[in-house]
Every structure is written in structure tokens, then in C-alpha cells.
Amino acid sequence: MLRSKRFWVGLAISLIFLYLAFRGQDYGEIWSALKEANYWWMIPAVFVYFLAVLVRSWRWHFLIKPVRDIPAMRLFPVLVMGYMGNNVFPFRAGEVLRAFLLRRKEAVSMSATLATIAVERLFDGLTMILIIVLVLPLIPFGEFFRGLLLAASAFFVGALLVFLILISFPQRTRGMYRWAIGRLVPARWRGPVLDVADRFIEGLSILRSGRQVALVAGLSVLVWLLEAGKYYFIMFGFPFDQPFHVLLLVTSVATLATTIPSTPGYVGTFELAGIATLQRFGVAAEVALSYTVVVHAALWFPITLLGIAFAARESLTWGQIRTIGRAEVKPEEVAP
């Protein structure tokens, strides 16, 4: 990890964002806000968060159902271990960990699983943008923010269109990647690589059903309403009061900021986005920072600890998880 340029770039970005978040802050006020906060509100906040993770498991059940019908409760520990991997290791290693675990436990190919995770992230992004668009008329943001929103919208909508095109014309899509593989991949690898590509397209197959897409979209909205509930509960422990739609906006903006490359656990990018959004609504910088740090801790520690417990139950060692996180999706890892 320490030899990776991406790791050092992510660390540098996190340090820059942390500097911007803490610049000009009164550290005495920050400590006072943290010391005087009412942490009993963490109990309902963490409960609501894990309820959101259960809904995520249910959503993943529908996403992966065209490949393998796996009950949501069997997917829940896999999902939790994946989030633990994202929190602890760089480069979103938890996504590969989820794919590995599902291959080992349910004989689902890693490439098909990664395709469902890509669709899952796509729906998350589209849902957060939808939330921001709906809340935008109620908030005092300028043209710069609106421009960023437009760029993010173009990215996620463009990705959705690409996926829809890929699965709407399966024969043409297969012909295109067969042509590319035949010219770019050495002969001995062409068969296995083609199999991986086929499995990935199979993982996108839920997008062929409008009813299933609507169901996944509805569950995505429920997920993010529950996630915002966590932010809302924690707010009651701090000396500021904002309506639910403001905390919904903070949830969406801070989460979108975590797509910026950074350290494991999205340190810095999350804090700056949360503080900047709250300050737009008149929340003092020191209170906004202390609140955002507590929210980040509440997002990081419970699911990471539960993920470690599930990994111990699966007899996964840290060495194995690190190896999985560095792994590529190899042809031999594609299940029959």
C-alpha cells in the first residue's frame, strides 16, 4: 500500500481537505462542543443506520436475483464486511471483498457481483442527486454549486444510459467486446476474459425489467431517507436546530464528496463537505466541525467493528483481506 502512488495521492487530498476544514477554527470551541454534546442520541442514530444497511441488503437481493436468488439476511454480513473493507483499506477494497465473499459463499462470479455493485452505486448517486434537486429551491446555494450538481448529474445519468445500452442490445454489445478482446488480449487469455465480460453483462440484467428498476429506485430512496435520519438524530446532541430537509442535503453532499479519492474512510472530504453545507445555514463553524466529526465516527466505528466480527466468524485474517483487496478479477475466479 505504501508503495502505491494512488495511496499517497489519496493521503495528500485528505490532508488538503482537512486543512481547509480546520483552517481558522477555534480549537477551544471545537473541544467545548464535543465535550458538551449529548451522545445518548447516538443510540437511535446507530439503530436507524443499521436499519438502512438492512434495506441495502434487501436492495442487493433484488439486484443480484437475476444471477442467483440469495436471501437478504445472507447478504447482510457480506455487505457489512464490504463496508468494513472500504473503511479500513484504500481503493474501495471492500467492493472486491464483497465479490470474493459472494463467490466463496454463494458461487456467484466476482465479475457478476461487481456489476451489481456498480448498479448499486449508480442508483445511490442518482438518488442523492434527485434529493439535492428537490431540496435545491429551499437552499441558498450559488451558481458554482449548481454547476457541480449539473456535472455530477451528467456523470451518473451518462453511466445509467451506458448500462442501459449495453443490456438493451446484448448481441451487438457482445460483438463489440468480442472484437475488442480479439485484438487487444493475448490468445491464451481471450476465452477467460470473454467469460468475465459475459458475467459482468449478466450482472446488469436487472436493468432489463422496468418493474425491478422501479423497485430498486424506491428502496434507494428509502435507504437515503434512513441515512439522513441518522444525521438528524445526532443533530439533537448539538446546539443547533435545522429541519430534516437540511440534514438530508448534508447527507447527500457529504456522501457525494466521498467519491473524491482520499484515505480509507474518506477522511477530510467528508468533513469539509459537511461543514461547508451546514455553514450555509448559519451553523457556527466549530459546531459544524464537531458535529461532522461525530457523524463520521458514528458511520465508521459501528459497521467496521461489526464487519470485523463477521470476518472473524468467516475465519478471514487481515492478511487474507489485504490480499483480496489488492486482487484483480481473474478469469479463474469466475464461478461455473
Side-chain angles (χ1 to χ4, degrees):
M1 184 175 69
L2 295 178
R3 291 194 296 268
S4 169
K5 291 181 180 178
R6 287 189 297 172
F7 169 78
W8 291 107
V9 169
L11 178 61
I13 291 171
S14 282
L15 290 174
I16 291 169
F17 274 75
L18 283 174
Y19 167 75
L20 294 173
F22 280 85
R23 183 180 57 177
Q25 299 272 19
D26 184 327
Y27 294 105
E29 290 291 331
I30 294 170
W31 174 245
S32 177
L34 288 170
K35 188 169 59 174
E36 295 172 8
N38 183 353
Y39 292 102
W40 285 107
W41 286 104
M42 295 281 281
I43 296 172
V46 171
F47 174 80
V48 167
Y49 176 67
F50 277 112
L51 189 58
V53 177
L54 280 172
V55 176
R56 285 181 179 275
S57 303
W58 191 25
R59 181 182 63 173
W60 196 19
H61 159 74
F62 289 108
L63 285 171
I64 209 160
K65 192 173 182 179
V67 180
R68 186 69 50 84
D69 191 353
I70 306 170
M73 292 310 297
R74 288 220 305 265
L75 292 171
F76 177 76
V78 176
L79 190 67
V80 170
M81 284 185 279
Y83 288 167
M84 177 270 293
N86 283 341
N87 286 342
V88 174
F89 298 108
F91 322 133
R92 289 195 176 270
E95 315 295 33
V96 180
L97 176 60
R98 280 168 66 182
F100 169 81
L101 288 168
L102 214 58
R103 180 185 68 104
R104 189 171 84 167
K105 292 167 66 69
E106 306 289 348
V108 177
S109 73
M110 291 182 70
S111 46
T113 299
L114 289 171
T116 66
I117 293 172
V119 175
E120 176 187 287
R121 295 302 184 191
L122 178 61
F123 273 95
D124 282 339
L126 290 171
T127 303
M128 285 182 286
I129 288 170
L130 175 63
I131 289 170
I132 294 172
V133 168
L134 292 176
V135 176
L136 205 58
L138 306 174
I139 57 178
F141 276 101
E143 292 303 316
F144 177 73
F145 179 81
R146 295 171 192 271
L148 288 177
L149 175 62
L150 182 63
S153 302
F155 172 79
F156 284 107
V157 172
L160 177 61
L161 289 175
V162 168
F163 284 169
L164 289 173
I165 290 169
L166 289 176
I167 57 95
S168 297
F169 305 98
Q171 296 303 321
R172 186 171 297 180
T173 298
R174 182 176 169 82
M176 289 175 62
Y177 64 70
R178 282 180 65 91
W179 180 87
I181 290 169
R183 282 156 181 77
L184 301 175
V185 178
R188 67 192 183 96
W189 288 106
R190 286 174 192 164
V193 171
L194 180 61
D195 194 17
V196 169
D198 288 339
R199 299 288 183 173
F200 186 87
I201 296 299
E202 181 185 15
L204 301 178
S205 56
I206 191 175
L207 296 175
R208 294 194 180 100
S209 168
R211 183 171 174 271
Q212 293 295 318
V213 167
L215 177 61
V216 170
L219 289 173
S220 298
V221 171
L222 179 58
V223 162
W224 288 104
L225 288 174
L226 290 168
E227 291 257 1
K230 178 171 190 172
Y231 289 64
Y232 191 62
F233 278 122
I234 293 175
M235 178 192 71
F236 291 116
F238 288 83
F240 71 95
D241 185 23
Q242 293 291 337
F244 182 76
H245 72 264
V246 171
L247 278 302
L248 190 58
L249 178 70
V250 173
T251 305
S252 300
V253 173
T255 305
L256 282 174
T258 64
T259 60
I260 300 170
S262 61
T263 59
Y266 326 114
V267 176
T269 54
F270 181 91
E271 280 74 16
L272 183 61
I275 293 164
T277 307
L278 286 169
Q279 284 187 284
R280 284 280 184 172
F281 295 91
V283 179
E286 290 78 11
V287 174
L289 191 149
S290 57
Y291 164 81
T292 306
V293 167
V294 170
V295 169
H296 201 170
L299 289 168
W300 196 93
F301 281 102
I303 201 157
T304 300
L305 294 174
L306 184 58
I308 291 171
F310 281 141
R313 191 181 70 177
E314 295 288 332
S315 300
L316 279 175
T317 66
W318 285 114
Q320 288 174 314
I321 295 172
R322 283 198 301 269
T323 302
I324 295 163
R326 291 194 301 266
E328 301 293 336
V329 183
K330 299 180 178 63
E332 61 267 24
E333 292 175 327
V334 179

